[in-house]
Structure formats: C-alpha cells, structure tokens
Amino acid sequence: MSIEVNNESGFEVDEAEFAALGRFVLDAMRVHPQSELSIIFVDTTVMTDLHVQWMDEPGPTDVLSFPMDELRPGRDGDITPAGTLGDIVLCPEVAVTQAKAAGHSTTEELLLLTTHGILHLLGYDHAEPEEETEMFTLQRKLLLTFLATR
C-alpha cells in the first residue's frame, strides 16, 4: 500500500498516524495492497480555491475527495484490483473549529475526516438518508477500531 501524506498547511500533524489510518482503512475495505492513496493537508486559502473550483461553493471546507481509478471495496475473499484510489485534501484550520464544536481534539477530527474522505473515494456517499446511515456507521466503526489498536 502506497500512502503519501503531504502537509502543506503549516499546521502540525503526525503524518505517520495518517498513513497508518489510511493503511488500516484500505486493508479493512479489502483494497489491493499495491493501491495508492494521497492525503494532503492545506491551508484555508488553498481549500477555498479547491472548493470553489470543484464544488462551486464559497469558502473553505473540511475535506474534499478526488477519486482516480474509481476503485470499490473488495468483498469477502476478493480484493479490488490494484490502482490509484485518489487524493484526499484536508483543511486543519476548518477541523479546529469543528473539533471544538464536537468536543474532541483536532487530531481526532482530522482522523475522522480522513476516514470520511477514503470512504468517498471508495464510492460511499451521504446524499440520501439510507446512504448517510450506511456511510457514517461504517466510518465510525473503522475509526473506533483503528483508535482501539493505537
């Protein structure tokens, strides 16, 4: 599994922790071990530009996912073909505000957002209530299981 973590935000993050989370989630979702994922931390200016360009919405957001090879989760006994999963772009400055509102640390918020972004790359969405329930339940299970192993 090739997971590249780049911090261009100026905010201190433990890059190894995010790479470990990426590996954990991709393994749990039965993604081929030779697949690639990129996790990028950016400041609000960059995130605002991306949010406007790709979502046509103003201001910064917390996380954006840019799928590449449209990989999907593997099934029991069957993993996905190898490929490039895509890029997850996170904005720690937005995560700080969300973490305070949620009553947990910024790192926990960023780990949650990373898990959320990976699930989007794997085709999950939350536009409809039943999709939201499925995605958020899986997101919570994956993150809590990861944190329990740390």
Side-chain angles (χ1 to χ4, degrees):
M1 193 84 48
S2 173
I3 299 177
E4 184 177 329
V5 180
N6 291 307
N7 185 4
E8 302 168 3
S9 70
F11 189 90
E12 187 175 330
V13 296
D14 181 354
E15 294 175 16
E17 184 78 351
F18 288 90
L21 174 64
R23 278 187 203 88
F24 177 85
V25 171
L26 295 180
D27 284 345
M29 300 303 293
R30 296 177 186 90
V31 174
H32 196 283
Q34 292 179 340
S35 295
E36 299 175 23
L37 169 66
S38 177
I39 302 170
I40 307 160
F41 296 90
V42 299
D43 64 23
T44 54
T45 301
V46 172
M47 186 57 98
T48 297
D49 291 345
L50 291 171
H51 200 210
V52 170
Q53 178 181 0
W54 294 101
M55 303 300 290
D56 199 25
E57 297 196 21
T61 189
D62 50 7
V63 60
L64 290 171
S65 299
F66 298 97
M68 298 292 279
D69 290 343
E70 297 186 15
L71 300 179
R72 296 296 178 252
R75 303 196 190 289
D76 287 333
D78 186 29
I79 59 174
T80 65
T84 302
L85 194 57
D87 300 331
I88 299 169
V89 182
L90 300 128
C91 187
E93 291 171 85
V94 173
V96 167
T97 304
Q98 292 177 177
K100 285 179 186 171
H104 54 240
S105 74
T106 301
T107 297
E108 289 170 322
E109 183 71 14
L110 287 167
L111 290 168
L112 172 75
L113 294 171
T114 301
T115 305
H116 186 86
I118 292 170
L119 291 178
H120 273 307
L121 292 178
L122 288 169
Y124 287 86
D125 201 357
H126 46 86
E128 300 297 327
E130 57 277 354
E131 293 174 334
E132 180 176 323
T133 299
E134 177 186 18
M135 182 177 181
F136 283 43
T137 300
L138 180 56
Q139 173 181 290
R140 179 176 170 77
K141 177 184 172 190
L142 289 166
L143 184 57
L144 288 176
T145 305
F146 172 76
L147 291 172
T149 67
R150 305 312 276 171

